[in-house]
Amino acid sequence: MQPLLLVWEESQILLRILNGSFQTLDVIKERIFHDLFCSKANLDVIDMRQDNIVQNVNRDEQGSKDWSSKGNESNQEGDSTVGFNVLDAMLKRSLDRLKSMRERILSAEAGISNCTLEINFNKDAYVVRAMCLDGKLGAALSLWWNMIQNSIVPDVITHNYLINGLCKNGELEKAEWIVRGMLYRGPSPTCAAYNSLIRGYCLMNDVDKALNTFSTMANHGIIPNRVTCNILVHALCKKGLLEQAKNLFYKLLSKNHVRGSSDLITSTIMMDGCFKNGDTDQALAFWKRMLKERIQVDKVSYNVVVHGFCLSHDEGTAYKYSCEMLKLGFVPDVYSYNTLVGALCRQGKTSDACYIYDVMTRMGVIPDQITYKMVIHGLCINKEIDRATCFLDYMLENSIIPEPLVWNVIIDGYGRCGDIQKASYIRGKMVAFGVLPNIYTYNALIYAQIKSGNFSAAQSLEKEMLLYGLTPDSVTYNLLIGAACNLGLLHSALQLHDELLRKGCQPDVITYTELLKLFCLQGMMREADKLFGKLLASGLAVDHVPFLILMKRYCRMREYNKVYDLYQQWLMTMPR
């Protein structure tokens, strides 16, 4: 604001000078007029007037006294020239001052403009990064492109945020397009950008594309780091390509790489891959190499070893390494305990699994959803449903709301035991805790009702499913059709079969087998043969049960030729 006021004041001064200049010009013209037309007696008066006016106008000018003294002696033409020279000097000085002030103002405005541009650039780059972190990749990409269109190239960190976000979202083509743009216009991509691309391709299970990207890094002068190799080693082990992973592993440990903590990460990845691919000896070789080279192993490495021996059903050795882990001061975490609990539950050793659960809680490790799910599932398989319900209560006491699968396992367990009351109670408790029953819940309840011989209650549950917007699947219809066939309700069984087709479900081997059994029991052999032909033409994998049903029925009818034909047909359909 101050520069603008200075300009305004300067302009007022210039106007005053110009106004005075015009008055002086009038005086000079008046003098010339009188010199030409007036008598000599008036010259002294005119000269005195002119001298006073010029002195007042140019009082501050250097040499004004000399000019005044000379003015009395000069002629008319000389006096006029001197007056104009003075006015020119005054105007030039004022205009020069105005020019310099204008240049200072323009310079200040340019500085403000550059500062604003820099602030806007930093703001846009920050917004792009923030939107990438929030998952708003479309908006981030649009703002980035707008910056590029305005000839503003974001820095390499902003590009890395964008590339990483796109790779995590599976938009690898866009990420690769951005990398190509960086190679063309700058800034040059770093190893982090290529690591994001390689990780993205590995997550998409496209290891070939990841390896191709890895091979192009050197062409652009980018040296892969340990993170790059670790990503590829993990992807190759996951695909079961252990030889390729080993080659990359030894390349990583070559003399061109600095030894350090990354050796532990890579060795752990290799060890885990060998265990998961069943190569326990090779995994132990990596473990021994780590110990021999005095690499400081950590809790993750021990977890991999414990998990590997659990996969090979060697729980004793897994216990051994768990104890060794404790002696070295590594406190097992929830992953360590879940590994042991899962292995014991798969072996049917639910008592030992429950003991590990108790040890886990005494050690201050809080069980998670996975822990409870494995214990409850193992107990239900062993028909210890009441004990599984106790663990369900433990979950609720610890403010862990089980997922529908856990509730369904317990409901199914009670249903298989024929305890409809407890199955219904668990279903009610499930709804009370805000977990909505799904189709598997209703199938378990329908099975419980059918097992207890209550076919009408099972049909009511099917109608209830429809009211809650759930569509029965083939399992639902197979349960109901099988129950109707066992009760000899041919009309209900065929009606359910038609409803199955109307709902868009495809009959499977169980559906055909149940209806075939009912036709044979009812003596409807023509319908049975027709249905059996439809089953063979359906392309479904047919087992021995339909053949045995028909062969048994024809044996009772003493039609041994048909029995022999069915036996020959059965042999032809058996896998060789």
Side-chain angles (χ1 to χ4, degrees):
M1 191 67 187
Q2 188 174 359
L4 295 176
L5 290 174
L6 291 173
V7 172
W8 182 80
E9 291 176 359
E10 190 72 20
S11 63
Q12 295 297 319
I13 293 170
L14 178 62
L15 289 175
R16 289 174 184 175
I17 291 171
L18 291 174
N19 189 26
S21 301
F22 293 144
Q23 292 177 2
T24 305
L25 289 173
D26 291 340
V27 172
I28 294 171
K29 285 189 287 183
E30 183 181 351
R31 179 184 171 184
I32 295 170
F33 180 81
H34 280 279
D35 285 341
L36 292 174
F37 298 103
C38 296
S39 62
K40 190 176 184 307
N42 295 326
L43 289 177
D44 295 333
V45 177
I46 294 172
D47 289 339
M48 188 180 298
R49 181 182 177 190
Q50 180 183 359
D51 291 341
N52 292 333
I53 292 172
V54 172
Q55 286 175 7
N56 290 332
V57 173
N58 199 31
R59 183 177 299 168
D60 296 330
E61 290 294 321
Q62 184 68 27
S64 60
K65 292 181 181 180
D66 296 337
W67 179 84
S68 298
S69 60
K70 291 178 181 179
N72 293 326
E73 300 174 358
S74 61
N75 56 23
Q76 296 88 347
E77 185 178 356
D79 291 341
S80 176
T81 303
V82 171
F84 279 111
N85 289 339
V86 171
L87 290 174
D88 288 343
M90 293 172 62
L91 287 172
K92 185 176 183 302
R93 189 180 68 171
S94 299
L95 291 172
D96 287 342
R97 289 174 62 189
L98 284 173
K99 179 181 178 183
S100 64
M101 292 184 67
R102 184 181 64 181
E103 288 175 351
R104 288 197 300 270
I105 293 171
L106 292 175
S107 177
E109 289 178 352
I112 293 171
S113 177
N114 291 334
C115 183
T116 304
L117 278 174
E118 185 176 355
I119 292 171
N120 290 337
F121 167 75
N122 292 332
K123 180 182 176 183
D124 289 345
Y126 174 79
V127 171
V128 170
R129 298 178 194 178
M131 287 191 294
C132 288
L133 292 176
D134 290 341
K136 300 174 182 177
L137 296 173
L141 197 61
S142 177
L143 180 57
W144 170 82
W145 181 244
N146 186 48
M147 294 173 71
I148 297 294
Q149 291 293 96
N150 288 293
S151 301
I152 301 173
V153 180
D155 57 5
V156 69
I157 298 176
T158 306
H159 279 89
N160 287 346
Y161 270 86
L162 198 57
I163 293 167
N164 187 53
L166 291 170
C167 290
K168 285 184 177 179
N169 204 39
E171 301 180 57
L172 295 166
E173 291 184 0
K174 292 181 180 178
E176 195 169 356
W177 172 67
I178 291 176
V179 172
R180 287 197 300 268
M182 293 173 72
L183 293 169
Y184 175 73
R185 75 174 71 88
S188 298
T190 61
C191 189
Y194 280 96
N195 287 348
S196 297
L197 272 177
I198 292 170
R199 185 184 292 108
Y201 284 121
C202 290
L203 290 175
M204 297 295 290
N205 205 25
D206 193 351
V207 181
D208 292 335
K209 189 69 174 176
L211 290 171
N212 183 54
T213 304
F214 173 73
S215 63
T216 60
M217 292 177 68
N219 298 336
H220 301 296
I222 299 170
I223 300 174
N225 57 16
R226 291 190 180 279
V227 177
T228 317
C229 295
N230 287 343
I231 293 169
L232 288 170
V233 166
H234 183 263
L236 291 169
C237 288
K238 193 175 179 181
K239 287 279 279 186
L241 304 172
L242 292 179
E243 286 302 319
Q244 291 87 333
K246 286 179 195 174
N247 294 334
L248 194 59
F249 172 78
Y250 290 120
K251 180 180 179 181
L252 177 65
L253 298 179
S254 64
K255 60 182 180 181
N256 295 327
H257 294 85
V258 180
R259 300 288 294 276
S261 59
S262 293
D263 286 349
L264 172 64
I265 299 172
T266 318
S267 299
T268 304
I269 291 171
M270 285 299 306
M271 210 166 40
D272 183 57
C274 292
F275 273 126
K276 288 180 178 177
N277 285 279
D279 195 348
T280 306
D281 294 336
Q282 185 64 49
L284 289 176
F286 280 105
W287 175 255
K288 291 175 182 177
R289 189 195 66 83
M290 292 167 66
L291 298 177
K292 182 180 178 181
E293 297 182 2
R294 298 177 183 243
I295 297 173
Q296 189 66 39
V297 295
D298 59 0
K299 182 164 52 179
V300 177
S301 303
Y302 272 102
N303 283 342
V304 168
V305 175
V306 171
H307 182 254
F309 282 109
C310 287
L311 287 176
S312 60
H313 308 294
D314 191 353
E315 287 81 12
T317 308
Y319 277 129
K320 171 191 166 186
Y321 279 99
S322 297
C323 296
E324 184 179 319
M325 182 179 178
L326 281 168
K327 289 178 184 178
L328 292 174
F330 298 118
V331 180
D333 56 10
V334 67
Y335 179 82
S336 310
Y337 286 109
N338 285 349
T339 301
L340 292 171
V341 168
L344 293 169
C345 288
R346 283 192 296 271
Q347 294 291 318
K349 301 175 182 179
T350 52
S351 297
D352 292 339
C354 293
Y355 170 75
I356 296 296
Y357 169 86
D358 293 335
V359 172
M360 179 180 184
T361 53
R362 286 198 302 269
M363 292 291 290
V365 181
I366 300 174
D368 59 3
Q369 283 262 15
I370 299 173
T371 314
Y372 286 110
K373 183 163 65 175
M374 290 188 298
V375 173
I376 290 172
H377 189 261
L379 291 171
C380 289
I381 290 175
N382 283 356
K383 298 183 180 179
E384 300 178 69
I385 315 300
D386 290 334
R387 200 173 181 184
T389 305
C390 291
F391 277 94
L392 174 65
D393 293 334
Y394 294 156
M395 291 184 74
L396 298 173
E397 288 171 5
N398 292 320
S399 301
I400 301 175
I401 305 299
E403 58 186 18
L405 176 62
V406 177
W407 299 92
N408 293 341
V409 166
I410 297 177
I411 292 171
D412 183 66
Y414 279 125
R416 292 182 184 278
C417 295
D419 197 335
I420 300 174
Q421 186 176 359
K422 287 185 178 179
S424 300
Y425 168 75
I426 296 297
R427 183 265 183 110
K429 198 171 186 178
M430 175 182 182
V431 175
F433 278 92
V435 182
L436 296 177
N438 54 25
I439 189 169
Y440 303 103
T441 314
Y442 279 101
N443 285 344
L445 291 170
I446 288 171
Y447 177 79
Q449 294 290 350
I450 290 172
K451 191 172 180 66
S452 65
N454 197 344
F455 180 66
S456 59
Q459 286 184 308
S460 299
L461 285 170
E462 186 225 349
K463 292 182 176 61
E464 185 179 323
M465 288 175 67
L466 297 172
L467 291 175
Y468 283 99
L470 297 173
T471 304
D473 59 0
S474 59
V475 176
T476 313
Y477 285 110
N478 285 343
L479 289 171
L480 294 171
I481 290 171
C485 291
N486 290 334
L487 294 173
L489 303 174
L490 178 61
H491 178 71
S492 296
L494 294 176
Q495 188 176 8
L496 287 166
H497 177 263
D498 294 339
E499 186 178 337
L500 178 148
L501 296 175
R502 285 199 305 272
K503 295 292 183 182
C505 298
Q506 293 298 323
D508 55 13
V509 176
I510 298 175
T511 314
Y512 285 110
T513 302
E514 293 294 338
L515 290 173
L516 190 66
K517 182 171 66 174
L518 179 60
F519 286 143
C520 290
L521 289 174
Q522 297 285 337
M524 305 169 63
M525 299 310 298
R526 182 181 298 175
E527 288 80 359
D529 289 336
K530 184 178 179 180
L531 184 64
F532 183 70
K534 188 183 292 186
L535 171 60
L536 295 177
S538 65
L540 296 170
V542 183
D543 57 7
H544 63 285
V545 178
F547 289 98
L548 290 178
I549 290 172
L550 284 172
M551 289 166 66
K552 186 177 180 180
R553 181 61 186 175
Y554 279 119
C555 281
R556 288 181 180 177
M557 296 172 64
R558 298 184 182 224
E559 296 186 20
Y560 301 114
N561 291 333
K562 288 190 176 181
V563 173
Y564 180 76
D565 292 338
L566 286 168
Y567 178 71
Q568 292 294 327
Q569 196 171 8
W570 179 20
L571 292 177
M572 291 175 62
T573 57
M574 287 178 62
R576 302 192 180 191

